[in-house]
Amino acid sequence: MNPVLYYGCSAVLSALVLCGLFMQSRVKAAIAGNLVCVGVMGFAILLTLAKEGVSAALLNPWLWCAMAVGGVVGVIWASHVKMIEMPQAVALLNGIGGLASALVGGIELMKADSGVFSNFTAALALVIGMMTFSGSLIAAGKLARIIDGKPRAIAGHGVISVTLLAICCVGVILGACGFRVVSLVLCGFGALAFGTLLAMRVGGADMPVAISLLNALSGVAGAIAGMAIYNVLLVAIGGIVGSSGLLLTQIMCRAMNRKLPDILLGKTVKQAEKTKAEEAKPEFKEELQSEPKLEQATFAAEIEPQKPEKLSFSLKNAKSVIIVPGYGMALSQAQYKVKELCDKLETNGTTVRFAIHPVAGRMPGHMNVLLAEADVDYDYLFELDAINEDFRNVDAAIVVGASDVMNPAAREAEGTPIYGMPILNVDEAPEVIICNFDLKPGYAGVENPLYRREQGLRLLLGDAKDSLQTLIDEL
């Protein structure tokens, strides 16, 4: 294929990817933007085949078999993934992308005629790809609750991690020097172990950041693999994915008021284990120490779900309501009931808005996707900074399956995993209705003192769909 034509087509396809991403930032154009990116991927495959020689590609049965198997598996998997399983599906796809880049790097590294630059970038792609693969598997396992979501560390975790990283660096250097087999072993197994240890340290509350970072690493691995095989299009597309993922990671860290190194090293969680009761403010410390081994049944009995008449008002008379969705809404698939409740309230003349915390759910934008699935107008959705000051001025806040994102402990309990994280000011609302499954702490493992509120609180425990139906019936 003519090089000028190839580079020209690559530039056009890269521009179309950027266009597709821009369209996805607009709700009405998001589906079309996604289709644009899918189309670009199809044309990118055809362009790559044309570059390598159409006749050679057509005569390679393994190539077509691999594409057919991958296509069939992808379609079947995508059609069976439930919305609630989307976070772990995204994590797995990030891992598969990293594994693909690692395979490209490993194959290129073993070629005898590769130059120094190609060997160096191939080994680097192998490291980042395997690191992304193993880290994504751990993240997916935590999200699917196959693996305990709590941060874990082994004896000498930090020293072992640094040692593995050093082994990977040595492997990359040896690869550039032509020691291919040794480099393949060191880079492959070192990165695989390093990615595993890295993901183990990330706690459940920080999982959205981990998903963003893994997405970025899969793109970076692809871009470096493109350098190894001199594929300009792969470099460009991988660079776009990597840069957008890193930007999203930075946004998520700011939203949680965290530093990325602290999240990856599990520093805040380690402190929490020591100081959860010792360093808290007096009023919160007293609550924690009064019943240090509080069981769920005791906690539930102490703050018995309240009857409708115990609230100082009825939802029928509410003029303004803010709904706060969380992961419990996703688990219950209650977004359709939320939409029904929203419609009922609006019929009564109530102004309804949704407060979306940046890290609600298990991946960035999780709540937005679920609410869009239920046809909730995007204009009803407000980010934390845009709506947080309004909680004190509304008639009521309705929480649907959320805990960590509105837990006042983030302001008060120093050393806990969520301390310092900006939260939705639900506790400032005069009346709060909480539709949670139970009174257990959220994914971060921090008890929510809002459940102990004596005035203006109604707890509807159980399946979120049933609780929402109770509110709908009352309207």
Side-chain angles (χ1 to χ4, degrees), residues 97-111 114 117-130 175 180 183-184 187-188 221-222 224-229 234:
L99 179 61
S101 300
L103 289 174
V104 171
I107 293 172
E108 187 65 24
L109 182 63
M110 296 307 295
K111 289 184 178 179
S114 298
F117 177 79
S118 182
N119 285 337
F120 174 79
T121 51
L124 192 58
L126 177 61
V127 168
I128 299 177
M130 293 302 289
R180 297 178 177 82
S183 175
L184 184 68
C187 291
I224 296 175
M227 295 179 185
I229 61 176
L234 183 55

Side-chain angles (χ1 to χ4, degrees), residues 41-379:
M41 177 59 67
F43 279 110
I45 294 173
L46 296 176
L47 181 63
T48 302
L49 293 177
K51 177 178 178 292
E52 298 300 325
V54 177
S55 58
L58 290 174
L59 296 176
N60 190 338
W62 291 107
L63 175 64
W64 295 102
C65 287
M67 291 175 62
V69 170
V72 170
V73 171
V75 170
I76 294 176
W77 183 25
S79 62
H80 284 78
V81 172
K82 299 177 182 178
M83 189 59 66
I84 187 62
E85 299 170 340
M86 195 57 66
Q88 49 262 44
V90 171
L92 281 174
L93 289 172
N94 288 337
I96 292 173
L99 179 61
S101 300
L103 289 174
V104 171
I107 293 172
E108 187 65 24
L109 182 63
M110 296 307 295
K111 289 184 178 179
D113 57 346
S114 298
V116 174
F117 177 79
S118 182
N119 285 337
F120 174 79
T121 51
L124 192 58
L126 177 61
V127 168
I128 299 177
M130 293 302 289
M131 186 189 308
T132 304
F133 175 64
S134 60
S136 297
L137 289 183
I138 298 298
K142 287 189 174 186
L143 290 168
R145 298 187 182 275
I146 298 174
I147 303 174
D148 188 357
K150 296 180 181 179
R152 299 295 180 186
I154 62 176
H157 197 109
V159 175
I160 295 174
S161 297
V162 172
T163 302
L164 289 171
L165 189 60
I167 290 173
C168 292
C169 292
V170 171
V172 171
I173 295 173
L174 291 176
C177 296
F179 298 94
R180 297 178 177 82
V181 177
V182 177
S183 175
L184 184 68
V185 173
L186 293 180
C187 291
F189 289 100
L192 195 67
F194 179 80
T196 301
L197 293 181
L198 186 67
M200 284 174 58
R201 292 294 291 265
V202 180
D206 299 324
M207 194 53 67
V209 178
I211 295 294
S212 301
L213 181 61
L214 290 169
N215 178 58
L217 289 178
S218 67
V220 172
I224 296 175
M227 295 179 185
I229 61 176
Y230 300 100
N231 189 312
V232 174
L233 183 57
L234 183 55
V235 173
I237 302 300
I240 292 172
V241 174
S243 59
S244 60
L246 289 174
L247 179 61
L248 181 58
T249 302
Q250 184 181 28
I251 293 173
M252 300 300 289
C253 288
R254 288 180 178 177
M256 297 178 68
N257 194 27
R258 299 286 178 81
K259 294 180 180 180
L260 184 59
D262 288 344
I263 291 175
L264 297 179
L265 295 175
K267 285 186 177 180
T268 54
V269 175
K270 185 176 180 181
Q271 292 172 355
E273 293 172 351
K274 288 184 177 181
T275 63
K276 183 176 179 180
E278 297 174 356
E279 297 184 5
K281 290 188 176 180
E283 61 272 16
F284 190 74
K285 180 179 179 181
E286 182 179 348
E287 289 180 357
L288 290 177
Q289 290 182 338
S290 61
E291 292 181 354
K293 295 183 179 180
L294 191 62
E295 298 294 338
Q296 178 59 25
T298 307
F299 197 45
E302 180 184 344
I303 43 181
E304 180 182 357
Q306 300 178 21
K307 301 295 183 182
E309 57 268 21
K310 288 192 177 182
L311 288 175
S312 62
F313 87 117
S314 170
L315 276 179
K316 293 181 180 179
N317 303 321
K319 299 299 181 184
S320 179
V321 169
I322 295 177
I323 299 176
V324 179
Y327 188 60
M329 184 187 76
L331 283 174
S332 179
Q333 289 291 282
Q335 60 267 32
Y336 298 99
K337 286 295 180 182
V338 169
K339 169 62 173 173
E340 187 177 348
L341 175 63
C342 177
D343 293 341
K344 278 277 189 178
L345 288 169
E346 288 190 315
T347 301
N348 291 343
T350 305
T351 300
V352 181
R353 291 174 292 170
F354 290 81
I356 308 298
H357 195 281
V359 295
R362 295 296 179 267
M363 69 177 185
H366 198 181
M367 296 299 105
N368 304 61
V369 172
L370 290 172
L371 293 173
E373 184 186 25
D375 293 327
V376 174
D377 195 311
Y378 198 76
D379 293 335

